[in-house]
Amino acid sequence: MRLLLVEDDAMLVETLKKGLADAGFAVDWVGTVSHAKSLGLQEQYRAVILDMGLPDGDGLQVLRYWRQHHNNVPVLILTARSDWQDKVNGLKAGADDYLAKPFHTEELVARIHALVRRSEGRSDSRIRVGDYALDEDRQQVQTTDGEWHTLTGTEFRLLRCLMTRPGRLLSKDELMEQLYSLKDEPAHNTIEAYIRRLRLIVGRDAISTQRGQGYSFNAKS
């Protein structure tokens, strides 16, 4: 999953980027209102962490701009402002959740996962397709024989993309957008290599290839 982090505190950014990457997110980071406004409309993010106090303005300006332009991405406001009225203002502007600083990274990650689950119409942290299950907390997949298999970060993100849209054909470009941040420079054949590795775990028939167009997860019960 690809996530946008809007934060101007460089030390906090490094901590959050590591924590979010460990949790299976590819993270793009910006530190100003102007960059956040444009990037949020250009790219397809699954969620946004939005700081309120930015060098060139208020995070609420970004949020209102996105909502006015029909960008409904789930947004969690992260801020040092803990007054109840600030929370109300953020939620009225279109935020989906609010977390005050200081905070624990584990809580932030749990809240982001919850926002994404709700946006996908799920309440369970396990994604189930046929006899397969993908555990987001442990980054493990359960195969048809009932065994659990631990995945690498990239394997988890790729399988998650496929299993949240079972039966849908996803192109390499679509998968690359969700697996990597804008600063990453993966090799052209990266997706093919990871598909081969996943097939060794979930079985060749679970992931279909439509030559020249993409891949789909087609497991049956």
Side-chain angles (χ1 to χ4, degrees):
M1 284 184 293
R2 197 151 157 237
L3 178 150
L4 178 61
L5 172 62
V6 185
E7 170 64 58
D8 67 328
D9 183 331
M11 188 175 295
L12 179 57
V13 166
E14 290 308 310
T15 300
L16 287 179
K17 285 171 70 176
K18 183 180 184 309
L20 291 165
D22 290 345
F25 293 98
V27 181
D28 287 336
W29 163 69
V30 294
T32 63
V33 167
S34 58
H35 285 149
K37 280 183 174 178
S38 57
L39 202 58
L41 295 187
Q42 291 170 11
E43 304 294 327
Q44 297 293 319
Y45 294 107
R46 304 304 299 275
V48 175
I49 298 171
L50 177 63
D51 186 24
M52 286 292 94
L54 297 168
D56 58 340
D58 193 301
L60 289 184
Q61 296 175 244
V62 180
L63 185 54
R64 292 191 180 102
Y65 179 80
W66 286 343
R67 296 314 190 216
Q68 287 167 3
H69 287 77
H70 309 294
N71 181 352
N72 295 317
V73 62
V75 172
L76 180 146
I77 289 179
L78 185 64
T79 179
R81 304 173 191 172
S82 58
D83 184 81
W84 69 269
Q85 189 61 57
D86 290 320
K87 297 179 182 178
V88 170
N89 291 341
L91 294 170
K92 282 184 174 179
D96 300 276
D97 198 0
Y98 195 107
L99 184 61
K101 300 175 183 176
F103 62 92
H104 293 287
T105 302
E106 291 82 358
E107 181 181 359
L108 174 68
V109 169
R111 286 174 179 262
I112 290 295
H113 275 303
L115 287 181
V116 173
R117 284 200 303 272
R118 286 202 293 273
S119 71
E120 295 173 345
R122 294 186 296 114
S123 57
D124 193 342
S125 65
R126 290 181 179 178
I127 300 167
R128 301 179 188 279
V129 180
D131 291 331
Y132 292 86
L134 184 68
D135 190 311
E136 293 183 300
D137 295 329
R138 297 187 299 162
Q139 297 190 16
Q140 293 182 343
V141 62
Q142 185 181 39
T143 47
T144 55
D145 58 3
E147 293 293 322
W148 285 96
H149 304 265
T150 299
L151 303 169
T152 67
T154 304
E155 289 170 352
F156 168 73
R157 293 198 297 272
L158 177 54
L159 190 57
R160 191 187 187 288
C161 286
L162 294 167
M163 289 184 65
T164 52
R165 304 169 180 83
R168 178 181 163 186
L169 188 67
L170 295 169
S171 69
K172 281 186 184 178
D173 287 342
E174 288 177 297
L175 293 171
M176 296 279 271
E177 285 179 3
Q178 289 301 317
L179 262 63
Y180 298 100
S181 70
L182 292 173
K183 291 185 177 179
D184 292 328
E185 296 181 353
H188 182 69
N189 60 354
T190 297
I191 296 296
E192 295 173 12
Y194 277 103
I195 289 290
R196 284 197 296 271
R197 290 170 58 165
L198 283 176
R199 281 175 169 155
L200 294 176
I201 299 172
V202 301
R204 182 169 185 80
D205 294 340
I207 301 175
S208 300
T209 302
Q210 197 157 328
R211 190 172 297 277
Q213 297 188 52
Y215 304 92
S216 61
F217 196 89
N218 296 307
K220 298 178 180 177
S221 301

